[in-house]
Amino acid sequence: MIIQPDLRGRHLLTLNDLSDREFLQLINLAQRLKEKKKEQPRGSEQLLRGKNIALVFEKASTRTRCAATAAAFDEGGHVEYLGKEDIHLGKKESVPDTARVLGRMFDGILFRGFAHATVSALADYAGVPVWNGLTDDAHPTQILADLLTVKQTFESLEGLTVVYVGDGRNNVCNSLMLGCAKAGVNFVNCCPPQLAPAKKHVKQVMQIAEKNRGTITVSQNVDDAVRGANVVYTDVWVSMGEEAVMDERIRLLKPYQVNMSMMQRTGNLESDRVIFLHCLPAFHNHDTVYTSECGALEVTDDVFEAPFSKVFDQAENRLHTIKAMMVATLGES
Ligand code: CP
Ligand code: NVA
């Protein structure tokens, strides 16, 4: 298999680490790897054979951890999971020291954690590719999966509008806004003013969008924002590490809950031109720590379970896109 883009030796800390072309090529590579997994028996052409990958996780994860594990194993690689209680990172040992040790033993490092500075320091010192599997600021690998899902649903990204509704300044929204700009997809960030994205980020993203003939809009008005949406996307109202502000977030974000009425207001439901996406985990009427008392939070159950909800295709695509990132940065064709 010809591996394109060739990102050998490169880090992925934010989507800014990729040119717009490389970003789209990585989504295409993921699509090819998805087809390869279906068509070819495992082990026929192992693109990560002999590669050792460290998964350094300060925060919990289902999708990112499992996607990375399955991706590496599919292609003949090996992973070692290092949770926050397993290693000395940040306690007895500094990030630069840990990075230099891991870099002598592993070919790549996937990091999930709190401060973005930690993943940057790992990248500065490890001497091997470091990938960001979520920090407080960014979640770049998620967006590769999101846009692959959109592309596979609509067959092309051209002319589409993604509307994100909710916490407009969290890691997922920051990266989604940037990813849409890079792909030339119109993006609307619908959020209360208290949770608006950083002005500097919006300005940078608008410049990228303009170059790719896309638009970026920040709006507080739900009716205006969702009209014409092809994708309605939301995320949790409280990200990992912010649990203390739950009550305030429920108050602020209740009008931004994704429900059937909001989906109707896109005007695209009848013509099957709108889907629902969520990076997951989602609070949608299930027995979770938050919803047992107050019911659904960011999305109602009828939307989450509707045929236009593509959240499990999106979750599956985490596997193929993380694999693409590993193969492009470590693989040998
Ligand atoms: N979407 C996502 O990153 O899920 P996990 O937290 O389960 O990895
Ligand atoms: N914004 C969420 C994303 C989880 C995948 C969080 O950081 O918890």
Side-chain angles (χ1 to χ4, degrees), residues 59 112 134-135 139 142 170-172 235-236 238-240 279-281:
K59 287 177 178 170
R112 162 169 290 207
L134 181 146
T135 59
H139 197 5
Q142 176 69 50
N170 76 9
N171 40 20
V172 169
D235 184 11
V236 289
V238 165
S239 289
M240 288 179 273
C279 56
L280 306 182

Side-chain angles (χ1 to χ4, degrees), residues 63 100 108 132 188:
R63 279 142 290 269
R100 283 175 285 184
N132 179 1
V188 182

